[in-house]
Amino acid sequence: MTSLWNWLDRAAERRARRLAQTTSRRSVLVGVGRALVASAFTLPVLPFDRTGQALAAGAHGAGTKKKGAPTDTDCDYWRYCSVDGFLCSCCGGTATSCPPGSTASKVAWVGTCLNPADGKNYLVSYTDCCGRTACGSCFCNTNHGDRPGYRLGVHNDVNWCMANDSSVYHCTVSVIVGVAD
């Protein structure tokens, strides 16, 4: 058995010496740099999208036309112009606050929505509420102004709970952060 270990030790030493003789420090640094750059381009696409949840939810009645102006539980409500997820106003929270037992994600996406009542565009921050299983009520997927996945700051098909302790998605709130005009 010791002869096997001696043989493995000599083989590993020969390989390490051959690698050291044929490889420069610069080429190793170039290889490490390439790996880091490749991972920097790969990592932003790692968060998963929720389009499967959209198909499973089947819109659950959200967004259906009702008589009168849309309320904060309707997908047609103006501030939900770029929302993609379950509305917290149908899940025990409000349009601007997470339901009890969930926490707001540390990162969010933004959209610009036109309020038909005053004709102004508002900057709306969409924040996922995390820590509980998916709500399953009032799914909206409006996507006005949505960008492809390589522009994460304006992409809404991402689980934004990835920065929290619990990455489990529950619902989404929409908070007006300013006037765009």
Side-chain angles (χ1 to χ4, degrees), residues 22-63:
T22 59
T23 308
S24 68
R25 289 182 194 149
R26 182 175 289 175
S27 65
V28 170
L29 288 175
V30 166
V32 169
R34 284 183 182 159
L36 289 174
V37 169
S39 66
F41 286 114
T42 308
L43 288 177
V45 296
L46 289 179
F48 59 91
D49 69 22
R50 295 189 303 250
T51 54
Q53 290 178 350
L55 297 173
H60 288 310

Side-chain angles (χ1 to χ4, degrees), residues 144-167:
H144 296 289
D146 187 26
R147 298 288 187 256
Y150 55 83
R151 297 222 18 227
L152 282 180
V154 293
H155 186 59
N156 67 4
D157 284 335
V158 174
N159 179 1
W160 291 99
C161 293
M162 64 191 163
N164 287 31
D165 292 334
S166 173
S167 62

Side-chain angles (χ1 to χ4, degrees), residues 11-171:
E13 182 182 357
R14 279 193 306 269
R15 249 190 184 177
R17 288 184 185 274
R18 189 176 315 131
L19 182 65
Q21 290 171 354
T22 59
T23 308
S24 68
R25 289 182 194 149
R26 182 175 289 175
S27 65
V28 170
L29 288 175
V30 166
V32 169
R34 284 183 182 159
L36 289 174
V37 169
S39 66
F41 286 114
T42 308
L43 288 177
V45 296
L46 289 179
F48 59 91
D49 69 22
R50 295 189 303 250
T51 54
Q53 290 178 350
L55 297 173
H60 288 310
T64 57
K65 293 288 181 186
K66 297 178 183 176
K67 294 184 184 205
T71 65
D72 64 355
T73 59
D74 297 320
C75 291
D76 294 336
Y77 187 49
W78 68 270
R79 71 171 11 168
Y80 298 146
C81 72
S82 292
V83 75
D84 180 6
F86 300 108
L87 302 178
C88 285
S89 54
C90 294
C91 303
T94 66
T96 58
S97 64
C98 292
S102 63
T103 57
S105 61
K106 296 178 182 175
V107 290
W109 75 96
V110 296
T112 304
C113 299
L114 174 67
N115 182 349
D118 62 9
K120 293 183 181 178
N121 286 306
Y122 290 88
L123 187 63
V124 180
S125 174
Y126 297 100
T127 305
D128 287 346
C129 296
C130 315
R132 294 174 58 187
T133 57
C135 169
S137 295
C138 299
F139 183 84
C140 295
N141 189 13
T142 49
N143 293 323
H144 296 289
D146 187 26
R147 298 288 187 256
Y150 55 83
R151 297 222 18 227
L152 282 180
V154 293
H155 186 59
N156 67 4
D157 284 335
V158 174
N159 179 1
W160 291 99
C161 293
M162 64 191 163
N164 287 31
D165 292 334
S166 173
S167 62
V168 178
Y169 167 77
H170 182 61
C171 61

